[in-house]
Amino acid sequence: MKILYVVPPSHHFAGMERVVHDLASGLAVQYPGQLDVTVLYCHRYPELSGDLPYKVIWERVEQLRSFGFRVARWLRKKNYDVVVVAQFEPAALLWLSHRLGGGRARFIMHFHGNPKVEGTGSLRARMAFSLFGTIVRRMDKVIAVSPSLASYIDSRVGEPGLVEYLPNPVRQFQPSPRAIAKEGLVSFISIGRLARQKGHDILIDAFAKVLATCHGARLVIVGDGQEFGALDAQIDRLGIRDHVLLAGKISNPEAELASADCFVSASRWEGFGVAIVEAMSAGLPVIATDCDFGPRDLIDSPEKGWIVPVGDIDALAAAMSAFAQQDRSNAHHDVRRKAAAMFNLDNVVAQHAAMLEATGLQTGGQRNGRAFYKPTKPPK
């Protein structure tokens, strides 16, 4: 079965890009005789240098308006059985271009983001999302990266069996010694692109309030992006330079997580919350905003952390201050690590392999004039 994953135009190798790479790698390695996996990237990422376990197509595309027709050429050349496209607009554009060219590959739309927010962007986005239900119903399968996101899409589409929740694979880190011992001054950490979505400005304002009662607290923000200058100026304006570090982009933040006591996510919106699961895998408790979608699906018990209202600086500061002042000797780190382990690569790849097999075989055994083969063994 020939599978093509398509990564839309993006200059950052971040959450969505990493998820596609990890899934493709796991599928190619674990099912070499059953799945022929290719990934099409619209940008060359330094993180993907060297040999990869899957096939790669580099198709330089800078703008979404040319994305559909340029990528559709590869579908006509290679005759793929199943095409998995990240996000709504790219999937809709490629599906339309492919169908106009007479192609019949099965299409899977993979939602990583938040359609509530994406549909309020540019004029093109608003026009596309006005046809949300109509377009999504044309897909052979829609997968969402969190249960709440799947529920929202399903409520908009109303097509039984079309929408399915499948988790993202998430890196698993070693447990933080501080998450177990809880010694010394409290250290908070947040990981994410420096973009308005991630709410780092809200987090910095809240942390300034925390310092009023917890003078030795520390905050490390890992990530880069267009908001760096504004956040850096905000730190100076609040006079908290000695307590806040903008650490920049760090590909493997295991050491930073190991030096922290608590992970904080102040996002205005999400699709899932990869960084939250990474922090839980290191044993860290999490304070997160109750944004759409994902955090509440992950933080579902007091042992895992706390949920606060979106954009509420005072509520976030209160939760952080309460954590700083409480007895942290009983960390429940094993509960959090067990929850995070559900997202390890092997577990997630097996679920995606089963979905791909089911989607590819739904044609009654025929695709593009040739018979599908039945895998010699079921997905692990």
Side-chain angles (χ1 to χ4, degrees):
M1 190 183 300
K2 296 177 66 176
I3 312 294
L4 176 67
Y5 280 88
V6 180
V7 178
S10 168
H11 290 279
H12 299 282
F13 188 77
M16 175 179 66
E17 295 78 17
R18 184 181 296 279
V19 163
V20 173
H21 164 70
D22 288 345
L23 282 173
S25 297
L27 291 166
V29 170
Q30 295 185 29
Y31 304 93
Q34 300 156 301
L35 300 176
D36 182 353
V37 183
T38 302
V39 180
L40 186 148
Y41 293 103
C42 295
H43 183 77
R44 286 185 179 268
Y45 301 105
E47 293 88 346
L48 297 180
S49 60
D51 294 334
L52 297 171
Y54 52 83
K55 299 174 183 176
V56 179
I57 298 173
W58 303 107
E59 175 68 24
R60 187 173 181 82
V61 182
E62 294 291 339
Q63 297 181 333
L64 200 55
R65 64 189 178 197
S66 61
F67 168 82
F69 287 107
R70 290 182 61 176
V71 177
R73 293 182 305 178
W74 288 102
L75 272 65
R76 292 193 294 272
K77 289 180 182 179
K78 299 295 185 177
N79 199 31
Y80 292 100
D81 299 309
V82 179
V83 181
V84 185
V85 191
Q87 305 300 62
F88 173 76
E89 279 190 85
L93 289 170
L94 183 54
W95 174 84
L96 179 60
S97 301
H98 182 59
R99 289 294 187 261
L100 288 175
R104 302 302 301 169
R106 300 194 77 79
F107 260 70
I108 297 173
M109 184 181 292
H110 195 177
F111 269 100
H112 292 262
N114 187 322
K116 286 185 177 181
V117 177
E118 293 164 15
T120 62
S122 65
L123 176 60
R124 184 195 64 228
R126 294 196 299 273
M127 292 176 63
F129 275 86
S130 69
L131 301 172
F132 183 87
T134 301
I135 294 174
V136 170
R137 280 190 287 270
R138 298 296 189 275
M139 298 294 123
D140 295 285
K141 194 70 178 177
V142 177
I143 53 179
V145 297
S146 66
S148 53
L149 177 58
S151 179
Y152 171 77
I153 298 171
D154 192 51
S155 70
R156 292 284 306 274
V157 176
E159 190 78 20
L162 177 63
V163 183
E164 181 179 354
Y165 158 61
L166 286 178
N168 279 334
V170 179
R171 295 177 294 179
Q172 304 290 299
F173 293 124
Q174 292 301 309
S176 164
R178 291 176 63 92
I180 301 171
K182 292 299 181 188
E183 296 175 349
L185 297 172
V186 65
S187 178
F188 296 99
I189 187 171
S190 186
I191 301 175
R193 288 179 298 107
L194 304 187
R196 183 177 183 276
Q197 172 196 347
K198 299 300 182 179
H200 294 309
D201 56 325
I202 298 170
L203 172 57
I204 291 171
D205 278 339
F207 183 68
K209 292 178 176 289
V210 172
L211 288 174
T213 56
C214 187
H215 305 294
R218 185 169 184 262
L219 171 64
V220 176
I221 298 176
V222 176
D224 64 0
Q226 61 186 14
E227 294 287 311
F228 179 90
L231 296 174
D232 196 53
Q234 181 184 4
I235 292 168
D236 276 339
R237 186 173 64 254
L238 293 170
I240 56 176
R241 172 67 60 188
D242 292 340
H243 299 273
V244 182
L245 172 64
L246 296 179
K249 182 178 180 179
I250 300 174
S251 297
N252 186 340
E254 186 163 23
E256 286 69 26
L257 289 169
S259 299
D261 295 303
C262 180
F263 183 88
V264 186
S265 172
S267 294
R268 290 179 168 91
W269 71 89
E270 285 287 354
F272 167 52
V274 168
I276 292 176
V277 179
E278 289 181 343
M280 290 170 62
S281 77
L284 295 179
V286 177
I287 299 172
T289 53
D290 192 14
C291 65
D292 293 330
F293 297 93
R296 183 168 287 277
D297 296 324
L298 300 170
I299 312 302
D300 57 3
S301 71
E303 293 79 15
K304 297 174 185 176
W306 305 266
I307 295 289
V308 300
V310 179
D312 192 327
I313 295 171
D314 290 335
L316 182 59
M320 295 171 70
S321 294
F323 174 82
Q325 295 168 12
Q326 73 179 17
D327 177 8
R328 303 192 302 278
S329 59
N330 185 9
H332 301 293
H333 64 280
D334 287 339
V335 173
R336 295 185 282 270
R337 284 177 53 78
K338 183 178 179 180
M342 299 299 296
F343 298 90
N344 74 52
L345 184 62
D346 287 346
N347 284 345
V348 173
V349 165
Q351 295 179 60
H352 280 256
M355 179 275 300
L356 288 167
E357 180 188 351
T359 302
L361 294 174
Q362 284 173 357
T363 60
Q366 296 290 324
R367 166 64 58 209
N368 298 327
R370 60 185 176 82
F372 263 61
Y373 61 85
K374 181 68 176 176
T376 57
K377 60 180 180 178
K380 296 177 182 178

